[in-house]
Amino acid sequence: MINKKQFRIFTIVDLDKKEEYLHEMHLKGWRYRTSRFGFFYFDQCQPDNVIYCIYDSRFLKKYKHELQDFRNRGWELVGAGSCSILRKSSSDLLSEDQVYMSNNLRWEVMRSRLRSCTATFLGGLVVCMSLIKEELSVSFFVIFLLYALLISYLIYGFFRLKRKYQVDEQ
């Protein structure tokens, strides 16, 4: 069997792009096997229109019946780590499967991940700011700039996903 390895970086706000990437690779005849540290491993297969869904593993552990519902409906659990990756052929999709792919559910999962990630970055920024002494070093400005860029990217991703999922807060 022929294998393929590609390097791609997807952040916490790029899970939708990761799903599209895996879908495109399957259309080209490469079935997703696993990923580690940005390296994606694929096995060669027949090109097929396969839908990939990525969910926060904490969400699926909290609602164990959801994972069983996925399996009962024919979804295959491909990878589990911080994110669970499920796939199913688009020809086997049922109308009930649209519930699992709904924008509201995706938004809830993403919002939970964004909260924890933002809290972590802000906590690091507070620690960084508390280490300021009378003399400001160049390394402080580099770290501060990196944190500012990361937080800006999270904010940009939040609004991009909110617009994509068209979620109206009540």
Side-chain angles (χ1 to χ4, degrees):
M1 179 177 280
I2 299 174
N3 298 325
K4 185 176 195 173
K5 177 171 71 169
Q6 285 191 337
F7 182 76
R8 293 276 195 277
I9 300 256
F10 295 100
T11 65
I12 196 166
V13 293
D14 295 332
L15 294 182
D16 58 329
K17 293 177 183 177
K18 185 176 180 179
E19 287 175 348
E20 292 169 12
Y21 167 69
L22 295 176
H23 175 72
E24 288 172 12
M25 290 301 290
H26 211 111
L27 285 173
K28 294 176 183 175
W30 296 102
R31 180 178 51 242
Y32 171 76
R33 185 172 26 130
T34 188
S35 62
R36 287 190 187 96
F37 307 112
F39 288 99
F40 287 79
Y41 299 91
F42 298 93
D43 294 325
Q44 192 172 27
C45 66
Q46 291 296 323
D48 192 11
N49 191 7
V50 173
I51 305 296
Y52 284 84
C53 285
I54 300 175
Y55 286 96
D56 189 339
S57 292
R58 294 176 298 172
F59 178 79
L60 290 177
K61 286 178 185 174
K62 185 177 178 183
Y63 302 104
K64 292 184 182 192
H65 65 279
E66 291 287 332
L67 182 57
Q68 191 58 43
D69 284 348
F70 274 113
R71 288 185 174 145
N72 291 343
R73 300 227 183 260
W75 288 86
E76 177 188 1
L77 180 63
V78 183
S82 62
C83 293
S84 296
I85 300 174
L86 301 131
R87 72 175 160 220
K88 185 175 185 179
S89 176
S90 63
S91 61
D92 297 338
L93 282 180
L94 305 170
S95 60
E96 296 88 27
D97 289 330
Q98 294 304 320
V99 171
Y100 302 119
M101 298 170 6
S102 74
N103 287 342
N104 286 335
L105 179 60
R106 289 173 179 269
W107 177 248
E108 286 302 316
V109 171
M110 184 54 61
R111 202 170 73 178
S112 169
R113 290 182 68 91
L114 281 172
R115 261 191 226 127
S116 61
C117 189
T118 303
T120 302
F121 283 130
L122 288 176
L125 185 60
V126 167
V127 168
C128 182
M129 296 299 286
S130 69
L131 296 176
I132 294 179
K133 299 193 178 172
E134 290 181 19
E135 300 173 14
L136 295 178
S137 65
V138 174
S139 61
F140 168 78
F141 285 113
V142 170
I143 292 170
F144 183 79
L145 180 65
L146 286 174
Y147 268 106
L149 288 173
L150 287 172
I151 291 170
S152 298
Y153 188 73
L154 283 175
I155 292 168
Y156 164 75
F158 173 83
F159 287 110
R160 181 185 67 82
L161 290 172
K162 187 172 183 177
R163 187 174 44 255
K164 179 178 180 175
Y165 296 142
Q166 297 179 353
V167 176
D168 295 324
E169 299 288 329
Q170 290 149 335

